[in-house]
């Protein structure tokens, strides 16, 4: 099942980060790709490699026994379940608990884990205690297929969501069961909105808010982002944002209004109040500010935002900047009471909580789509096209850089950085819908977020190596423009077709090294390490030289184009107790894989062969090159500078100056050579066993190489015969090719560039536009049925004429919208058929 293997040392290759980085060759999908910009030796994979190491790692503390995580009793071979391949059924609470959802028994496994690095001759491993492990069972029946689970920041709750249902398990509210399992209280979230059915809304993405342990963000297929507060109401969302994207200067397409994923911002200024939304055509939109009611924030960070708005907004010579900053400051004062007094007088408060607030005459603007920074010699209207559709999204804050990673269905990763600060923008004249309690306090808000139809200024860069953009100037600050994107790299993972068809891509961030990004796909796991962060490098005094990222195959389950990949159903990055990162994965047959990511810029690849049995061998250590002695020993002793002999001849050995000089140089020689000899002795003594083993391994490898050379000599004659036959066959094919070139079909004129572009647009329209149009019709039908059902259930005699007329107007408006949408759909179908007929006739000619 799992075979550990190391790759050769990567070669160095300089390339621009704007170009595509090939992650692997098509003929060898298991070899780590060249690391662009750095050349470091491949590190040794630190995993348990022998039965003796596993026995040493087993410790007993009282009655609690710790074993390697790979040998936990729950990991055993089973038949892979059928269903969706894009799922992640594992979660980590950030400290010592690993959660795994069993799709067969519908149970949640809680595994206590610890990281050990206390044995000098045994690599560090992840251990788990079978006696302390628990089986958690929901108190309600989970009948749907779970796609993903995640734990909140304090480890008290865990959500499970599928195509149309969302549940939350409270991990601390338990009661025992007769079969040894622990029953946990489980509740359904938004059951009136998300329910099973033919026309049900699809849940696209769910995530915990980073600044609240009780708030869940949910993005659904009706282009609505909802924020639920589990401590207040499980049915009604606290905040609802109806997304209405529109690209300035063009007509909105059906693909551009289909959301895919979202991500919350972190830490940096207004990013902590921002929600980034990705749509299927790759466009990214921003909603700011979005704050969970009752969430806590650092007083220092809020005060920094408050002072920044005063310094760059109110003091700006632009009236539009003054107006926008005034609205933002008013929102800060209303959301965080006492902020102005604290900023002036100072306070000892560490945390400040957000209060419910929403302007009565304006709604949040859907900023975007975010534009990219261009060079002077580049067409400002050019747009990076990518075959396929966007499938996953990741936001990560690294120093002063805010990274946005978009994964595409064709196996590419587009990595960008925000080139300016995110700022709050409201649309005046669009009043939100407020929900208040009996005391008059705001308990919920709903608003329509529309894009502003205005021309966006194109930002240019003179030199990509030393970017000077709007972040360092105040010309474009607080004007309401969405922040531009700086393209860092396009990474092509070069995945085989079987891996692309087996599951969509998912991206994760490393918990310790934010520069590292993991990509989970149908063929395994790849690691992308960024070596160029424009704003963080400049703040640290760097020269800002653009370096391409290094991409490595960490784990592979697909060896070639013909193999059937086995995607991972569980994947979680973990931060070790000794400052190193780990990744833990579980295959579809429920077998565990744990890999330590010790070196930050290169990682040896691991291959999983599902046709062979699982074994832990010492092969990775045999083929690895490791430093035997430390650098101080290899560099030699320190050089002692002895003055010229003429200066020493004037001193007498019996004099005080001569004795002092002689004592000084004796002391220097002792420090330089005697201590160096002691270091050499200690190093050789410490590495004696390792050197013996290395020499023995080299002799074994030498004998194996000799045997392989003898086999090559024996097969040399057969290889020569095969080469001769291949040359003859090649000549025969060349003759046939020459005859084929004389045929009239070979002289057929190819399509022009305009015709090819038109054909690709038609294919994209037939593949994506019609599907999106059908999904829109389905959503409209669902909404119409809900309105009809609600109108039937309500007692009509008690309605006032005004309410009845308003309901009739809404129903008639929905019917007219459906009729218009059906008419547009039929016209598009007729146009598509006529265009296809014209293309068919032209191809026949």
């Amino acid at each position: 099942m799992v075979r550990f293997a190391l790759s050769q040392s990567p070669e160095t290759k300089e390339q621009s980060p704007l170009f595509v980085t090939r992650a692997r060759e098509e003929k060898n999908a298991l070899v780590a790709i060249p690391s662009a910009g750095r050349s470091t030796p491949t590190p040794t994979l630190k995993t348990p490699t022998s039965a003796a190491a596993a026995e040493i790692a087993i410790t007993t503390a009282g009655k609690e026994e710790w074993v390697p995580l790979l040998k936990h009793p729950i990991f055993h071979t089973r038949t892979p379940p059928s269903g969706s391949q894009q799922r992640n059924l594992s979660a980590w609470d950030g400290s010592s608990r690993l959660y795994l959802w069993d799709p067969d028994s519908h149970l949640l496994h809680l595994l206590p884990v610890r990281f050990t690095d206390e044995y000098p001759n045994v690599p560090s491993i992840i251990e788990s205690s079978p006696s302390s492990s628990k089986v958690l069972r929901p108190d309600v029946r989970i009948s749907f297929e779970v796609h993903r689970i995640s734990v909140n920041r304090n480890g008290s709750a865990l959500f499970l969501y599928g195509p149309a249902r969302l549940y939350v398990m409270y991990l601390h509210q338990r009661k025992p069961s007769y079969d040894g399992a622990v029953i946990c209280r489980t509740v359904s979230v938004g059951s009136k909105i998300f329910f099973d059915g033919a026309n049900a809304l699809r849940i696209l993405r769910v995530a915990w808010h980073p600044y609240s342990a009780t708030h869940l963000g949910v993005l659904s297929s009706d282009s609505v982002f909802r924020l639920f507060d589990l401590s207040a109401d499980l049915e009604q969302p606290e905040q609802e944002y109806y997304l209405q994207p529109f690209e300035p200067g063009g007509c909105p397409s059906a693909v551009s209004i289909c959301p895919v994923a979202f991500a919350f911002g972190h830490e940096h200024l207004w990013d902590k109040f921002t929600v980034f939304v990705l749509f299927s055509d790759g466009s990214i939109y921003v909603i700011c500010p979005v704050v969970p009611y009752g969430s806590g924030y650092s007083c220092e960070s809020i005060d920094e935002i408050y002072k920044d708005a005063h310094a760059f907004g109110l003091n700006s010579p632009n009236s539009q900047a003054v107006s926008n900053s005034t609205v933002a400051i008013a929102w800060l004062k209303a959301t965080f009471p006492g902020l102005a007094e604290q900023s002036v007088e100072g306070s000892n408060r560490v945390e400040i909580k957000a209060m419910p607030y929403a302007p009565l005459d304006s709604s949040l603007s859907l900023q975007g789509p975010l534009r990219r920074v261009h060079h002077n010699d580049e067409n400002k209207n050019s747009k990076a096209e990518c075959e396929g559709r966007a499938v996953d999204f990741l936001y990560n804050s690294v120093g002063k850089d805010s990274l946005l990673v978009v994964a595409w269905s064709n196996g590419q990763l587009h990595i960008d950085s925000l080139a300016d600060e995110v700022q709050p923008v409201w649309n005046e004249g669009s009043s939100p819908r407020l929900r208040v309690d009996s005391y008059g306090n705001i308990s919920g808000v709903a608003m329509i977020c529309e894009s502003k139809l205005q021309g966006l200024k194109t930002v240019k860069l003179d030199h990509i190596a030393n970017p000077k953009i709007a972040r360092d100037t105040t010309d474009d600050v607080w004007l309401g423009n969405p922040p531009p994107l700086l393209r860092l790299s396009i990474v092509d993972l070069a995945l085989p077709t079987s891996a692309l068809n087996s599951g969509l891509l998912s991206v994760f961030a490393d918990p310790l090294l934010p520069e590292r990004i993991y990509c989970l796909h149908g063929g395994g796991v790849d690691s992308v390490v960024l070596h160029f962060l424009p704003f963080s490098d400049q703040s640290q005094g760097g020269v800002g030289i653009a370096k391409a990222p290094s991409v490595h195959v960490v784990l592979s389950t697909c060896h070639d184009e013909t193999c059937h990949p086995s995607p991972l159903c569980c994947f979680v990055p973990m931060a070790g107790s000794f400052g190193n990162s780990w990744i833990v994965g579980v295959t579809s047959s429920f077998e565990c894989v744990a890999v330590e990511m010790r070196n930050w810029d290169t990682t040896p690849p691991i291959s999983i062969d599902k046709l062979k049995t699982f074994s832990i061998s010492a092969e990775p250590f045999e083929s690895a090159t490791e430093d035997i002695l430390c650098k101080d020993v290899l560099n030699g002793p320190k050089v002692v500078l002895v003055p010229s002999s003429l200066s020493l001849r004037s001193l007498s050995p019996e004099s005080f100056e001569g004795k002092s000089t002689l004592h000084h140089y004796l002391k220097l020689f002792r420090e330089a050579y005697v201590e160096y000899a002691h270091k050499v002795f200690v190093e050789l003594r410490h590495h004696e066993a390792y050197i013996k083993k290395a020499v023995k391994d080299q002799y074994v490898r030498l004998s194996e190489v000799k045997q392989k050379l003898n086999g090559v000599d024996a097969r040399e004659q057969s290889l020569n015969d095969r080469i001769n036959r291949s040359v003859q066959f090649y000549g025969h094919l060349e003759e046939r090719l020459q005859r084929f070139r004389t045929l009239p079909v070979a002289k057929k004129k190819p399509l022009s560039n305009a015709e090819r572009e038109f054909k690709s647009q038609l294919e994209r329209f037939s593949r994506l536009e019609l599907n999106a149009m059908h999904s829109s019709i389905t959503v409209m039908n669902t909404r119409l049925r809900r309105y009809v059902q609600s109108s039937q259930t309500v007692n009509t005699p008690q309605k006032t004429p005004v309410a009845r007329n308003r309901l009739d107007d809404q129903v008639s408006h929905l019917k007219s919208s459906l009729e218009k949408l059906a008419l547009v759909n039929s016209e598009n179908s007729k146009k598509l058929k006529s265009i296809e007929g014209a293309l068919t006739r032209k191809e026949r000619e």
Side-chain angles (χ1 to χ4, degrees):
M1 318 243 293
V2 179
R3 185 179 71 244
F4 295 97
L6 289 178
S7 67
Q8 298 177 354
S9 298
E11 299 176 357
T12 304
K13 182 178 179 181
E14 294 288 345
Q15 52 181 309
S16 171
L18 297 180
F19 296 141
V20 176
T21 303
R22 302 298 296 181
R24 67 187 92 184
E25 297 294 335
E26 295 180 356
K27 297 182 179 180
N28 188 359
L30 296 179
V31 178
I33 68 148
S35 173
R38 295 187 182 218
S39 178
T40 56
T42 303
T44 303
L45 179 64
K46 300 299 184 181
T47 53
T49 58
S50 64
E55 292 296 333
I56 295 176
I58 298 177
T59 60
T60 303
K63 295 183 180 180
E64 188 175 14
E65 184 181 22
W66 293 84
V67 300
L69 181 63
L70 308 181
K71 293 191 175 185
H72 197 280
I74 70 168
F75 298 118
H76 58 275
T77 306
R78 65 174 70 174
T79 303
S82 60
S84 175
Q85 299 293 346
Q86 189 188 16
R87 55 184 181 177
N88 188 9
L89 306 181
S90 61
W92 181 53
D93 67 346
S95 59
S96 61
R97 292 181 179 87
L98 180 64
Y99 296 91
L100 299 175
W101 175 260
D102 192 339
D104 296 335
S105 58
H106 300 283
L107 299 174
L108 184 67
H109 296 277
L110 190 157
L111 307 181
V113 295
R114 71 177 185 181
F115 305 88
T116 61
D117 195 12
E118 53 185 274
Y119 305 104
N121 297 326
V122 178
S124 58
I125 60 175
I126 303 181
E127 293 181 337
S128 180
S129 176
S131 59
S132 299
S133 301
K134 293 181 176 60
V135 177
L136 308 181
R137 174 183 298 169
D139 61 356
V140 296
R141 184 172 178 268
I142 305 295
S143 58
F144 59 90
E145 180 186 0
V146 177
H147 284 178
R148 185 169 295 187
I149 67 175
S150 180
V151 186
N152 61 354
R153 64 176 187 173
N154 61 7
S156 61
L158 178 143
F159 71 71
L160 312 93
Y161 80 89
R165 300 302 298 269
L166 172 62
Y167 282 87
V168 173
M169 289 182 61
Y170 291 96
L171 304 176
H172 296 165
Q173 300 180 17
R174 309 174 181 176
K175 59 182 179 179
S177 173
Y178 65 90
D179 57 354
V182 179
I183 299 178
C184 293
R185 176 173 172 261
T186 305
V187 295
S188 176
V189 179
S191 59
K192 296 181 181 179
I193 303 174
F194 310 114
F195 54 87
D196 296 329
N199 297 323
L201 296 178
R202 291 183 296 108
I203 298 178
L204 303 178
R205 183 60 55 90
V206 181
W208 294 101
H209 198 281
Y211 292 94
S212 175
T214 61
H215 281 81
L216 272 177
V218 182
L219 180 65
S220 54
S221 58
D222 57 347
S223 298
V224 180
F225 173 76
R226 298 175 174 89
L227 195 64
F228 288 89
D229 184 7
L230 304 182
S231 63
D233 193 347
L234 297 174
E235 297 297 336
Q236 292 291 334
E238 179 187 87
Q239 302 176 40
E240 286 183 290
Y241 300 94
Y242 293 81
L243 310 180
Q244 302 292 333
F246 185 84
E247 185 174 355
C251 181
S253 60
V255 179
S256 63
I257 61 175
C258 295
V260 175
F262 77 94
F264 292 111
H266 300 285
E267 299 179 2
H268 190 71
L269 291 180
W270 288 94
D271 285 11
K272 61 174 63 68
F273 303 142
T274 304
V275 178
F276 299 87
V277 184
L278 173 70
F279 287 80
S280 57
D281 62 345
S283 58
I284 301 175
Y285 289 82
V286 170
I287 311 175
C288 179
V290 176
V291 179
Y293 299 157
S295 57
Y297 295 87
S298 170
C299 292
E300 183 180 358
S301 62
I302 303 300
D303 185 62
E304 180 184 6
I305 297 175
Y306 182 78
K307 292 180 179 179
D308 179 82
H310 270 275
F312 298 99
L314 295 182
N315 298 331
S316 175
N318 193 309
S319 59
Q320 182 65 31
V322 174
S323 176
N324 293 339
S325 60
T326 302
V327 177
I329 292 174
W331 179 87
L332 284 173
K333 292 181 179 179
T335 306
F336 302 99
L339 177 63
E341 292 77 4
Q342 176 181 336
S343 178
V344 175
E345 301 175 0
S347 174
N348 296 327
R349 297 174 59 186
V350 178
E351 186 181 54
I352 185 172
K353 290 192 176 294
M355 302 299 294
Y357 172 74
L360 299 179
D361 58 346
S362 59
S363 299
L364 292 182
S365 172
L366 185 63
Q367 306 180 45
L370 303 187
R371 305 291 182 173
R372 290 184 177 84
V373 174
H374 298 285
H375 298 274
N376 285 335
D377 56 349
E378 187 177 358
N379 185 5
K380 65 181 179 180
N381 295 325
S382 63
K383 185 177 179 180
E385 296 292 341
C386 181
E387 295 293 335
R389 57 190 178 89
V391 294
D392 200 13
F393 180 63
L394 172 67
Y395 168 90
N396 199 13
S397 179
V398 187
K400 290 190 174 182
D401 290 270
S402 298
L403 300 182
L404 303 178
V405 183
V406 179
W408 291 79
S409 59
N410 63 345
Q412 289 187 5
L413 300 180
H414 291 190
I415 305 176
D416 299 286
S417 176
L418 288 180
D420 200 353
E421 306 291 350
V422 178
Q423 295 164 357
V425 179
W426 286 268
N427 290 333
E428 296 183 358
S430 177
S431 300
R433 179 181 178 183
L434 302 180
R435 186 174 71 251
V436 298
D437 56 13
S438 58
Y439 297 97
N441 299 323
I442 297 177
S443 61
V445 60
M447 58 182 65
I448 299 176
C449 301
E450 298 178 334
S451 296
K452 286 189 175 181
L453 305 181
Q454 61 181 8
L456 299 178
K457 182 179 179 180
T458 302
V459 183
K460 296 183 178 180
L461 288 180
D462 295 334
H463 303 285
I464 191 65
N466 187 18
K468 293 291 184 182
I469 42 186
R471 179 175 290 199
D472 298 330
T473 63
T474 58
D475 297 337
D476 298 333
V477 176
W478 290 102
L479 295 183
N481 297 325
L485 296 177
L486 175 63
R487 173 55 54 83
L488 299 184
S489 181
I490 299 178
V491 179
D492 189 355
L493 300 178
L495 299 176
T497 306
S498 57
L500 293 176
N501 296 335
S502 62
L504 301 178
L505 279 69
S506 300
V507 285
F508 303 86
D510 191 282
L512 289 180
L513 298 171
E515 300 90 348
R516 179 189 288 144
I517 302 167
Y518 300 108
C519 180
L520 175 65
H521 48 78
V525 180
D526 291 350
S527 170
V528 181
V529 180
L530 301 178
H531 304 295
F532 172 66
L533 299 173
F535 305 106
S536 299
D537 293 346
Q538 285 186 358
S539 63
Q540 297 175 1
V543 295
I545 300 177
K547 297 180 181 179
S550 59
V551 188
H552 300 277
V553 182
V554 178
L555 186 145
S556 178
T557 61
C558 187
H559 306 282
D560 51 34
E561 290 282 351
T562 60
C563 76
H564 183 68
S566 177
L568 299 178
C569 66
C570 300
F571 177 81
V572 55
M574 304 173 67
S577 305
F578 300 93
N580 48 0
S581 300
W582 286 80
I583 60 173
V584 175
V586 179
T587 63
S588 56
S589 56
F590 224 71
E591 293 162 329
C592 182
V593 181
V595 183
E596 181 186 13
M597 312 292 291
R598 182 173 290 273
N599 203 334
W600 77 276
D601 59 351
T602 180
T603 304
I606 298 176
S607 173
I608 290 184
D609 191 352
K610 58 182 179 181
L611 300 178
K612 296 185 179 181
T613 58
F614 178 82
S615 63
I616 303 178
S617 62
E619 292 179 1
F621 297 96
E622 295 175 1
S623 59
T625 302
E626 186 173 315
D627 293 337
I628 298 177
L629 301 177
C630 64
K631 295 181 179 180
D632 294 338
V633 175
L634 295 177
N635 293 333
K638 299 179 181 179
V639 179
V640 179
L641 299 178
V642 181
S644 60
S645 58
L646 295 177
S647 60
L648 294 178
R649 288 180 181 178
S650 60
L651 297 177
S652 173
E654 303 297 335
S655 62
F656 179 78
E657 293 81 2
K659 292 181 179 180
S660 177
T661 304
L662 183 61
H663 177 73
H664 173 67
Y665 282 103
L666 286 175
K667 182 179 179 181
L668 291 179
F669 277 109
R670 175 178 176 83
E671 293 178 355
Y673 294 100
V674 177
E675 293 184 2
Y676 173 74
H678 180 68
K679 288 182 180 179
V680 172
F681 174 76
V682 172
E683 288 289 334
L684 293 178
R685 183 178 180 182
H686 180 69
H687 291 83
E688 179 180 1
Y690 177 79
I691 294 174
K692 287 182 180 179
K693 183 179 180 299
V695 172
K696 183 178 178 180
D697 294 341
Q698 293 294 333
Y699 276 115
V700 173
R701 294 180 62 188
L702 180 61
S703 61
E704 293 177 355
V705 171
K706 288 182 179 179
Q707 292 177 2
K708 292 180 181 180
L709 290 176
N710 294 334
V712 171
D713 294 338
R715 295 192 301 268
E716 182 179 4
Q717 185 61 33
S718 62
L719 291 176
N720 291 333
D721 296 339
R722 293 177 62 184
I723 291 174
N724 294 333
R725 289 196 301 269
S726 299
V727 171
Q728 294 177 2
F729 184 70
Y730 176 77
H732 179 65
L733 291 178
E734 187 69 24
E735 293 177 359
R736 293 184 62 187
L737 181 60
Q738 294 297 334
R739 290 198 298 269
F740 282 135
R741 288 177 178 174
T742 58
L743 297 176
V745 181
K747 299 179 181 180
K748 184 178 179 180
K749 184 179 179 181
L751 296 177
S752 63
N753 294 333
E755 292 173 343
R756 286 196 298 268
E757 291 179 359
F758 185 64
K759 185 177 180 180
S760 64
Q761 290 179 2
L762 289 178
E763 292 176 353
R764 183 176 181 181
F765 182 83
S766 61
R767 184 173 66 253
L768 297 177
E769 296 279 349
L770 291 181
N771 295 334
M773 189 72 70
H774 288 311
S775 64
S776 300
I777 294 175
T778 304
V779 172
M780 295 297 293
N781 288 330
T782 305
R783 291 183 177 178
L784 179 59
R785 291 179 181 178
R786 290 180 181 175
Y787 275 112
V788 172
Q789 293 176 359
S790 62
S791 62
Q792 293 177 354
T793 55
V794 177
N795 191 5
T796 54
Q798 295 180 358
K799 287 186 176 180
T800 62
V802 177
R804 188 182 303 106
N805 295 333
R806 184 179 303 172
L807 182 59
D808 294 339
D809 293 341
Q810 292 178 354
V811 175
S812 61
H813 180 67
L814 283 175
K815 289 183 178 179
S816 61
S817 300
L818 281 176
E819 293 175 356
K820 292 180 181 179
L821 189 60
L823 181 61
V824 172
N825 190 16
S826 60
E827 292 179 355
N828 289 337
S829 300
K830 293 179 181 179
K831 292 180 181 179
L832 182 60
K833 291 181 180 179
S834 62
I835 292 173
E836 288 180 350
L839 285 177
T840 305
R841 292 194 298 270
K842 189 171 183 179
E843 291 179 354
R844 291 177 179 176
E845 294 175 359

